[in-house]
Amino acid sequence: MFKSDVKFAIVYGLLVTSYISFIIAFVNIGFTSSFIFTWLRSWAIAFILVVPSLLFLAPYIRDKQQKLKKLGSSK
């Protein structure tokens, strides 16, 4: 795992989880007095789940994709 992979996972995870959790929190509870707390809590949970997934699952999926691509091009 490279330093650039870790940076990518953190930045990508931060951006994606922040706007998705914001939208989902807004759809579920609207802009209420507890919105910020609910959104930040949801975002933190999502971020904790997404970053390790990006770090460990993405290389595996990328490897399988390359193998399928090679298999498809050999026909």
Side-chain angles (χ1 to χ4, degrees), residues 14-46:
L14 178 73
L15 293 173
V16 171
T17 58
S18 64
Y19 77 77
I20 289 176
S21 61
F22 182 90
I23 292 168
I24 296 299
F26 173 72
V27 168
N28 286 330
I29 66 169
F31 286 122
T32 63
S33 60
S34 64
F35 176 80
I36 295 294
F37 174 76
T38 303
W39 170 50
L40 290 175
R41 181 176 177 271
S42 299
W43 170 78
I45 293 167

Side-chain angles (χ1 to χ4, degrees), residues 59-74:
Y60 174 77
I61 292 169
R62 194 177 308 127
D63 181 53
K64 294 299 179 189
Q65 178 189 15
Q66 290 298 321
K67 287 179 182 178
L68 285 172
K69 190 176 179 181
K70 286 179 185 177
L71 185 65
S73 65
S74 65

